[in-house]
């Protein structure tokens, strides 16, 4: 299958699960976001976002799903907030919540790979959180989009499941043997048709969908090769996947999530790129 065939199948699968997610979480989130200034992010993410500073920034949230995190970025002082998701139902839910809670953000239904040139160089921050990357069939092409969206000097922030956690069983409890059940290196798509309702746990006939697991070096190199410099990386024992609490609770000191912050080089042009001595790289002596 080509990239578009994968992302289109995934769009259909995300549309199918959204009514279940809404049933499980809509009322809670609507109620929370009616409180002025409500922020849903927790530690360690919150401190890192505060260090970056949101005040006055133009932010784009890729794979924003129900839009809840973007509402918080607005409440943290961001000037302009745009959430993008491929799922029609997710975007509709996000638009409805922003309106009901009177928070001034925008949402766009789009495949991240299709974002047009009109967004080039527009954003101070490209933000992405748990469970976004795994849906994207081409990580290098994705980070080329991120580079394109950022202003020179703009930052990329991701808080996601750690690639190590892909090795472990998805479900378990206090008795589950902690063992490696999945490969680390896996360049093919994972094909699934199980329920995506990680909030309510509803069982339904899920349309087939495709996930892509990336190693740590694939993530780092995709950023580096797209002129995004690594500024920070932190690894955490905290599970943010809604599926591996059982492993976190075992307190085995395993890396279950990470935060990575990158920065688009201030000037990518050959004339202005300088080497470590401060000379232009065009200088031959
Ligand atoms: C696990 S959810 C993100 C959840 C979100 N981080 C949160 O905590 O609420 C993944 C989202 O990625 C979106 N997605 C998948 N493929 C996409 C693509 N190619 N372009 C844009 N969004 C995509 C899905 O529609 C889904 O809403």
């Amino acid at each position: 299958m080509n990239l578009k065939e994968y992302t289109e199948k995934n769009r259909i699968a995300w549309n199918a699960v959204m009514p279940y997610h809404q049933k499980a979480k809509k009322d809670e989130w609507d109620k929370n976001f009616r409180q002025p200034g409500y922020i849903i992010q927790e530690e360690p993410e919150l401190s890192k976002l505060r260090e970056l500073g949101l005040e006055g920034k133009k932010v784009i949230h890729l794979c924003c799903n129900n839009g809840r995190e973007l509402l918080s970025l607005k409440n943290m002082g961001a000037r302009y907030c745009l959430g993008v998701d491929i799922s029609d139902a997710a975007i509709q839910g996000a638009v409805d919540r922003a309106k009901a809670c009177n928070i001034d953000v925008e949402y766009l239904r789009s495949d991240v790979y299709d974002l047009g040139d009109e967004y080039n160089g527009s954003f101070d921050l490209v933000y992405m959180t748990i469970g976004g990357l795994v849906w994207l069939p081409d990580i290098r092409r994705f980070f080329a989009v991120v580079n394109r969206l950022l202003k020179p000097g703009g930052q990329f922030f991701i808080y996601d499941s750690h690639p190590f956690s892909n090795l472990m069983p998805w479900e378990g409890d206090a008795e589950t043997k902690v063992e490696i059940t999945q490969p680390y290196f896996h360049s093919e798509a994972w094909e699934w048709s199980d329920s995506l309702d990680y909030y309510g746990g509803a069982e339904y006939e899920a349309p087939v969908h495709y996930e892509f697991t990336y190693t740590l070096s694939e993530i780092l190199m995709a950023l580096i090769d797209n002129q995004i410099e690594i500024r920070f990386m932190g690894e955490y024992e905290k599970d943010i996947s809604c599926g591996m609490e059982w492993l976190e609770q075992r307190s085995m000191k395993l890396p279950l999530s990470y935060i990575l912050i990158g920065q688009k080089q201030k000037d990518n042009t050959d004339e202005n790129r300088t080497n470590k001595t401060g000379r232009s790289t065009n200088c031959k002596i």
Side-chain angles (χ1 to χ4, degrees), residues 7 10 14 61 63-66 68-69 84-87 90 110-113 129-132 135-136 198-199:
T7 59
N10 288 344
W14 277 99
H61 182 183
C63 301
C64 69
N65 190 256
N66 53 72
R68 62 193 181 127
E69 293 155 308
V84 176
D85 200 283
I86 200 167
S87 160
S110 172
D111 187 334
V112 291
Y113 293 107
T129 61
I130 177 67
W135 297 97
L136 304 180
Y198 45 81
Y199 286 130

Side-chain angles (χ1 to χ4, degrees), residues 40-84:
I40 202 163
Q41 284 89 348
E42 297 174 355
E43 294 302 331
E45 182 186 12
L46 194 51
S47 296
K48 294 312 293 181
L49 285 173
R50 289 210 160 112
E51 270 173 43
L52 279 188
L54 272 297
E55 203 60 47
K57 289 193 170 162
K58 280 187 82 176
V59 177
I60 186 167
H61 182 183
L62 303 180
C63 301
C64 69
N65 190 256
N66 53 72
R68 62 193 181 127
E69 293 155 308
L70 191 71
L71 298 179
S72 298
L73 299 186
K74 183 69 188 176
N75 285 344
M76 289 170 83
R79 176 165 57 92
Y80 173 76
C81 289
L82 176 64
V84 176

Side-chain angles (χ1 to χ4, degrees), residues 275 277 279-280 282-285:
N275 62 24
T277 66
R279 290 186 183 134
S280 160
N282 294 335
C283 178
K284 298 289 184 287
I285 51 170

